[in-house]
Amino acid sequence: MDSIRIIEVKESVFADNNREADRIRSDLKAKKTFLLNLMSSPGSGKTTLLTKVLAKLKNEMKIGVMEADIDSDVDAHTIANMGVDAIQLHTGGMCHLDAGMTEQGLKELGAENYDLVVLENVGNLVCPAEFDTGAVKNLMILSVPEGHDKPLKYPLIFTVCDALVINKIDVLPYFDFDMDRVAEYAHMRNPKLEVFPISAKTGEGIEAVCGWLRQQVADWQA
């Protein structure tokens, strides 16, 4: 029997995407535009956190937001109503954004005008972590109701992220969630991961996240 050629399509797709992502970062560096990729599961509080951060930073720097969803434009309207430039990206049923989709969004937004662009990725702990979007940094949100074992169950997203926001700490008394364990498990995946316990509802911890983001933008523009 003749031998069968095996083609690693998945590897090829990722390699092409990574090259495009590196090119996007290079273009953003030239424009001094910092792109943040925001990831989490649905309902963790991405948009709520984003509105709290934008309220503190929108008068300090020029910010644009790209909202990615399978459908709807609810989140983009929420951001636009704050007086922040926002566009909605529909993924056509796909559970993530790749570099090509991100680049299309940046062109529509006009990224050369911004100090900071936030990409709110599709709510999912698996697919978005697999594709480099061209972002300078990745930030993910884990909410208390999701449980402290998620770094063990979804290792890749914790590995590729630079910062972890633990949201909804205001409901800690009502859930079996161990802050020490989640930090331990997360640092097993990524020892350099910065952890920020917050409550997007009450505002607790938001300033620490803003401080981290200010520094990241300043370092990128230096």
Side-chain angles (χ1 to χ4, degrees):
M1 181 181 294
D2 293 337
S3 60
I4 303 298
R5 287 198 307 149
I6 300 175
I7 303 172
E8 297 290 348
V9 176
K10 187 175 182 182
E11 180 178 347
S12 176
V13 168
F14 285 150
D16 289 344
N17 182 79
N18 291 344
R19 282 191 291 271
E20 190 166 4
D22 287 339
R23 181 175 54 78
I24 290 172
R25 269 186 292 273
S26 179
D27 291 344
L28 291 171
K29 182 65 174 178
K31 297 172 182 175
K32 295 190 175 183
T33 298
F34 182 92
L35 175 62
L36 178 71
N37 181 27
L38 180 58
M39 297 183 286
S40 78
S41 61
S44 66
K46 286 194 301 298
T47 307
T48 305
L49 169 64
L50 190 51
T51 58
K52 293 297 178 71
V53 169
L54 291 175
K56 289 180 174 291
L57 297 183
K58 67 179 182 177
N59 294 324
E60 301 178 23
M61 59 183 78
K62 179 67 173 175
I63 304 175
V65 176
M66 299 188 294
E67 291 285 350
D69 280 299
I70 293 174
D71 203 349
S72 90
D73 57 2
V74 174
D75 291 340
H77 281 293
T78 299
I79 301 303
N81 288 338
M82 297 184 65
V84 175
D85 294 344
I87 61 171
Q88 186 73 50
L89 305 178
H90 284 169
T91 63
M94 298 181 70
C95 59
H96 67 277
L97 259 71
D98 60 22
M101 298 174 190
T102 302
E103 183 174 36
Q104 184 178 352
L106 289 169
K107 287 180 179 177
E108 292 296 324
L109 189 63
E112 66 275 4
N113 299 321
Y114 298 96
D115 299 303
L116 167 65
V117 174
V118 179
L119 169 61
E120 185 176 338
N121 217 314
V122 180
N124 191 307
L125 291 181
V126 181
C127 303
E130 295 182 330
F131 287 85
D132 189 342
T133 61
V136 183
K137 296 288 183 178
N138 297 315
L139 183 150
M140 73 162 291
I141 304 173
L142 176 68
S143 66
V144 167
E146 294 174 78
H148 58 251
D149 59 352
K150 290 300 176 288
L152 302 178
K153 294 183 176 182
Y154 302 94
L156 181 59
I157 193 167
F158 291 87
T159 301
V160 302
C161 281
D162 303 281
L164 167 63
V165 167
I166 301 174
N167 191 22
K168 305 185 182 181
I169 59 172
D170 50 298
V171 298
L172 273 171
Y174 309 104
F175 289 89
D176 183 18
F177 187 95
D178 191 314
M179 291 290 291
D180 292 332
R181 279 192 179 183
V182 73
E184 176 188 349
Y185 296 157
H187 286 137
M188 285 169 53
R189 304 303 183 189
N190 184 351
K192 296 181 179 179
L193 190 66
E194 297 193 56
V195 181
F196 299 95
I198 71 141
S199 169
K201 180 178 180 179
T202 67
E204 183 180 355
I206 295 295
E207 184 53 43
V209 177
C210 290
W212 177 83
L213 194 48
R214 287 188 189 99
Q215 188 61 57
Q216 299 304 315
V217 173
D219 290 346
W220 183 248
Q221 293 181 336

